[in-house]
Amino acid sequence: MKKMHSALIMAAFFLNACLFMPSGLIFAAQKPEIKEIASLHFTTFKVPTNVRVYHVEFDNQYGMRLAGYLFVPKDLKDKAQGIVVGHPMGAIKEQAACVYAAQLASRGFVTLAIDQQFWGESGGTPRHAIAPDLYAEAFSAAVDFLGTRDFVDPEKIGILGICGSGSFVISAAKIDPRMKAVATVSMYNIGEMRRSGLNKSQSIEQRKKVIADAASKRYENFLGGERPLVGGAPFEIKPDSPAPRKASYDFYRGRGKFVPKGETWEMNTRSDQASNVAFMNFYPFNDIETISPRPMLFIMGEKAHSQPFTKDAYAKAAEPKELFVVPGADHFDLYDKLEFIPVDKLADFFGKNLK
């Protein structure tokens, strides 16, 4: 009996250790953290007076922590329709995503704007790492969170991706049927962008050099060397700079400027060089037709340089689908300029298709 008692004690000790040791054999997910915050101190977006804002944290299915802002209508009475909103590639939730989340919440939706894994307040190292599969997983994890709130109907959740997140939500929706409606704004196919550049401006030889340079950095990273960052929005422009470059500068270095806590201005919007090549293997539009019969809405600006990506996705998607062009808008106008953002169109799309 004493031996059995001792064995039970040891078993309990081992189980408890596994639950709480980082390298334990048994994983215990952390409880989501929810805290209401003031909505008066944001510089890159405004929160309507009929909306409450909460800072939330939760884990993805691999135990990696994600952070976001949850926007809830103040007069919410019944279970709401939910929408997950993703930020542009290289940005964070405070840039563009929260603009959409706040506006849609003011129209009755419960919305969640997330920081992608490795970015902003979300966890993961190295910082600014590129991992397309984990980016798609972040949207599924956000659906996990929304669908388990008692004020959200788990059968009425949609997703919205801006710029690079447009391709991530497509990737996510292909394998997660809980996402009942999918919308993209100023979408970038980041995989094709990294492989071929805008308008096929990058040759195979140039692509191979990027891959080789990134691979060589892995030795330095393995030995603990500095991890260089590449790409990102420009830190300076010239009078003869291309229009998209000027527009990017105006947003990221001007009206949309936001540097996450713990990071430097020099890191802003840039990606880890060694992992950046993971985008070369990212083909989000393959099998896009399998999302049907769930509806898709593709929104692009009339003057957007990113139009080819949206048109390509629209052409490959199956019905029901819709392409909506915003007159006079360029790619970056649709990040935060309410005079261009078709909030009512999005509210109508999600309202009708999340029933």
Side-chain angles (χ1 to χ4, degrees):
M1 180 66 70
K2 287 184 178 180
K3 287 184 177 180
M4 182 179 294
H5 181 68
S6 298
L8 289 172
I9 292 175
M10 289 301 294
F13 176 82
F14 176 76
L15 177 60
N16 186 62
C18 287
L19 283 170
F20 292 100
M21 288 173 56
S23 57
L25 300 177
I26 301 174
F27 170 72
Q30 295 185 46
K31 184 178 180 181
E33 299 174 5
I34 304 174
K35 180 181 179 182
E36 187 168 7
I37 58 176
S39 59
L40 304 175
H41 308 296
F42 299 109
T43 60
T44 55
F45 66 97
K46 288 181 170 57
V47 180
T49 57
N50 65 339
V51 174
R52 286 191 172 93
V53 188
Y54 299 82
H55 184 273
V56 301
E57 293 187 5
F58 53 93
D59 292 341
N60 71 7
Q61 69 172 340
Y62 304 107
M64 304 176 74
R65 187 116 285 213
L66 288 161
Y69 286 139
L70 180 69
F71 298 81
V72 181
K74 287 183 178 179
D75 61 353
L76 185 64
K77 296 178 182 178
D78 300 319
K79 286 198 172 188
Q81 298 168 324
I83 304 172
V84 181
V85 186
H87 57 71
M89 181 61 219
I92 53 178
K93 63 184 180 300
E94 288 84 355
Q95 295 166 309
C98 282
V99 176
Y100 283 77
Q103 291 299 316
L104 287 168
S106 74
R107 287 158 170 79
F109 300 91
V110 170
T111 60
L112 175 61
I114 59 171
D115 273 331
Q116 260 301 347
Q117 208 74 65
F118 308 108
W119 296 83
E121 294 183 288
S122 288
T125 56
R127 302 307 295 166
H128 296 205
I130 302 303
D133 285 348
L134 284 176
Y135 291 173
E137 160 62 20
F139 286 97
S140 287
V143 172
D144 295 339
F145 175 85
L146 273 188
T148 52
R149 301 309 96 197
D150 58 11
F151 48 88
V152 176
D153 188 330
E155 296 300 318
K156 298 178 181 180
I157 297 176
I159 50 174
L160 166 62
I162 304 163
C163 187
S165 279
S167 56
F168 306 149
V169 299
I170 289 173
S171 180
K174 288 188 296 186
I175 57 172
D176 195 338
R178 299 175 303 167
M179 302 170 181
K180 303 300 184 182
V182 182
T184 72
V185 177
S186 291
M187 181 173 56
Y188 252 65
N189 179 343
I190 297 293
E192 184 59 22
M193 173 65 181
R194 290 291 188 268
R195 285 187 294 273
S196 304
L198 277 174
N199 301 314
K200 309 293 183 182
S201 59
Q202 179 171 271
S203 67
I204 294 293
E205 290 71 26
Q206 290 172 314
R207 182 195 306 181
K208 289 182 177 179
K209 184 179 186 309
V210 170
I211 294 172
D213 289 344
S216 69
K217 289 297 178 186
R218 293 184 63 113
Y219 288 124
E220 297 177 32
N221 295 350
F222 185 79
L223 296 173
E226 185 177 347
R227 301 187 74 104
L229 300 174
V230 295
F235 287 96
E236 60 180 11
I237 55 172
K238 299 177 181 179
D240 60 347
S241 293
R245 185 178 178 86
K246 289 180 178 178
S248 176
Y249 178 88
D250 288 344
F251 178 76
Y252 285 108
R253 311 308 175 199
R255 67 182 191 275
K257 177 181 177 181
F258 197 102
V259 181
K261 185 178 179 180
E263 296 193 2
T264 66
W265 176 244
E266 290 73 25
M267 295 175 66
N268 199 241
T269 76
R270 310 189 79 202
S271 303
D272 173 65
Q273 182 180 9
S275 62
N276 193 49
V277 293
F279 274 139
M280 300 285 188
N281 278 340
F282 182 48
Y283 294 85
F285 298 168
N286 285 1
D287 299 324
I288 188 175
E289 70 278 4
T290 62
I291 294 174
S292 176
R294 288 170 289 158
M296 301 190 71
L297 171 64
F298 302 91
I299 297 174
M300 65 182 188
E302 180 186 23
K303 300 178 180 179
H305 67 279
S306 54
Q307 276 196 12
F309 299 131
T310 297
K311 290 179 178 179
D312 184 30
Y314 176 75
K316 293 176 178 176
E319 296 288 352
K321 60 182 179 179
E322 181 180 358
L323 178 63
F324 185 81
V325 181
V326 180
D330 69 18
H331 178 91
F332 294 96
D333 287 334
L334 294 179
Y335 279 18
D336 63 330
K337 293 183 178 181
L338 291 179
E339 64 266 36
F340 288 111
I341 295 175
V343 180
D344 290 337
K345 176 68 179 178
L346 284 163
D348 182 67
F349 169 76
F350 285 115
K352 289 180 177 178
N353 293 300
L354 294 180
K355 292 183 178 180

